[in-house]
Amino acid sequence: MGIFDFIRGNKKPKSEKNENGDIDVSQTSNDNSKKDLLDNKITDVLDENKEIILTEDDIQKYIHQEINERISNEPESEFYSTDFDALFREAAKIIVEHQQGSASLLQRKLKLGYNRAGRLIDDLELTGIVGPFDGEKARTVNIPNIHQLELFFQLSKIENERFNHFKKNILPLHEELISSKVKELIKAQEIAKENGLKESLKQEILNKENEKIEKEKRRQLESLVRKELMEEGLLSNLTEADLKRELIPQEVLDRVWNRDGGRCIKCGSQEKIEFDHIIPFSKGGSNTYRNLQILCEQCNRQKSNSIG
């Protein structure tokens, strides 16, 4: 039976008044009956645990708890652990009394620094007295009043004693089974982790490959668009490298013009005359008199980037 089986859902309602303004005695009596019933339950548990007897369900529960602790490598802290702050019980009472799970409340009431108050709140969460952190909201307080907190203390101590009894007297009998199960689960975790890493790497490789494909598609499309624009006369056929070329001195241009007679040396045309590098600039050609010739546009396009 879990600790909170006794206490959760038993928040005590405020006493209501009747039409005459008097406290509703029947309601108060009902609350007292619930309190007595709860006291009887805890007394029964205390009596049962004078001689610790664990049922098969209890043993299986503790076996699973032991397996989970070994797998996580983070043992659950016992409620009466010596690792808890000396002010733990007092802090728990303040939190339950005010129904407010905040470190700032403990700072004010116990005159503590923020770090110590924060550790106390963490311990209270570990034992289940308060809920987990929820943004800017105060943590939920799981125990409704001081009376049930005291019952919680007693039940927690009993639970620790029962678990310690299991570890000392029963656990050795199941050690082989537990060790085998732990190895099996750890191996399964490692396989799952490795598979997760494989999937992550696979996705990373696919993303890089897709990126390369997209870049190549863009490059090809850009080349096609550039060619279309050049054919339409909307873009110069000069490349970026061509635009960075050193200008041919006017003196050299005049000498070449006079030498070639101002006409294409291939076909003799005087229409759409261009100066051409015999050894293309892209192949190391220079802007010298000997490396220049006059060609018409058609002959120059046929020559393209070849030497001659």
Side-chain angles (χ1 to χ4, degrees), residues 209-223:
E209 191 63 26
N210 289 335
E211 187 177 339
K212 285 171 61 178
I213 292 172
E214 287 301 317
K215 282 184 177 180
E216 179 60 22
K217 284 182 179 179
R218 181 181 176 84
R219 188 193 66 78
Q220 292 178 0
L221 185 59
E222 184 178 342
S223 178

Side-chain angles (χ1 to χ4, degrees), residues 19-271:
E19 294 178 355
N20 298 323
D22 299 325
I23 294 176
D24 190 339
V25 178
S26 62
Q27 178 64 47
T28 303
S29 177
N30 186 42
D31 291 341
N32 289 334
S33 297
K34 289 182 179 179
K35 178 176 178 297
D36 292 340
L37 178 61
L38 200 59
D39 287 338
N40 290 335
K41 285 184 178 181
I42 187 64
T43 300
D44 290 342
V45 173
L46 287 168
D47 290 342
E48 290 174 4
N49 284 275
K50 286 181 180 178
E51 288 187 17
I52 298 177
I53 300 174
L54 300 181
T55 66
E56 185 60 31
D57 288 342
D58 292 331
I59 293 172
Q60 290 302 316
K61 180 185 74 172
Y62 291 139
I63 286 176
H64 288 304
Q65 183 176 330
E66 180 69 19
I67 290 172
N68 290 334
E69 285 183 11
R70 294 189 190 185
I71 291 174
S72 66
N73 291 320
E74 295 179 0
E76 294 183 7
S77 180
E78 294 182 0
F79 187 86
Y80 275 68
S81 171
T82 55
D83 293 336
F84 283 163
D85 193 293
L87 294 175
F88 175 78
R89 287 178 67 97
E90 189 172 351
K93 289 179 180 179
I94 290 171
I95 292 297
V96 170
E97 185 176 17
H98 290 80
Q99 287 295 294
Q100 182 182 348
S102 71
S104 57
L105 175 64
L106 296 182
Q107 283 182 270
R108 294 195 304 273
K109 295 294 183 180
L110 299 175
K111 310 298 182 187
L112 302 176
Y114 179 78
N115 289 338
R116 188 177 182 186
R119 287 194 296 270
L120 279 166
I121 289 292
D122 289 340
D123 288 341
L124 291 169
E125 179 187 348
L126 182 65
T127 53
I129 294 176
V130 299
F133 178 72
D134 185 19
E136 296 180 357
K137 297 180 182 178
R139 294 170 185 256
T140 302
V141 181
N142 295 322
I143 297 180
N145 55 54
I146 296 297
H147 174 69
Q148 293 187 18
L149 177 63
E150 291 300 330
L151 299 183
F152 177 77
F153 285 154
Q154 294 180 63
L155 283 169
S156 299
K157 184 176 181 181
I158 292 166
E159 183 65 18
N160 288 340
E161 289 174 354
R162 288 166 64 83
F163 187 53
N164 289 335
H165 173 77
F166 164 79
K167 296 188 79 168
K168 181 179 179 180
N169 301 295
I170 301 175
L171 177 60
L173 303 177
H174 298 270
E175 182 61 40
E176 185 176 349
L177 170 65
I178 292 174
S179 297
S180 174
K181 188 65 176 177
V182 167
K183 289 179 181 178
E184 178 184 330
L185 291 174
I186 289 177
K187 185 176 181 181
Q189 286 181 343
E190 290 174 349
I191 292 173
K193 184 178 180 180
E194 183 177 341
N195 288 339
L197 180 58
K198 283 181 179 178
E199 286 301 317
S200 178
L201 290 172
K202 188 184 297 183
Q203 192 59 49
E204 185 179 334
I205 291 170
L206 287 173
N207 288 341
K208 287 182 178 179
E209 191 63 26
N210 289 335
E211 187 177 339
K212 285 171 61 178
I213 292 172
E214 287 301 317
K215 282 184 177 180
E216 179 60 22
K217 284 182 179 179
R218 181 181 176 84
R219 188 193 66 78
Q220 292 178 0
L221 185 59
E222 184 178 342
S223 178
L224 178 62
V225 170
R226 182 180 290 274
K227 184 177 180 181
E228 290 175 354
L229 290 173
M230 287 168 57
E231 290 174 351
E232 294 171 10
L234 299 175
L235 184 69
S236 170
N237 62 345
L238 294 177
T239 64
E240 187 176 347
D242 293 330
L243 296 174
K244 293 180 180 178
R245 292 180 186 177
E246 182 181 350
L247 292 176
I248 304 172
Q250 186 62 45
E251 180 184 352
V252 174
L253 293 176
D254 290 342
R255 289 181 64 191
V256 173
W257 180 273
N258 292 331
R259 184 195 67 196
D260 295 344
R263 67 182 65 236
C264 175
I265 65 169
K266 297 287 187 180
C267 68
S269 175
Q270 292 181 310
E271 299 293 328

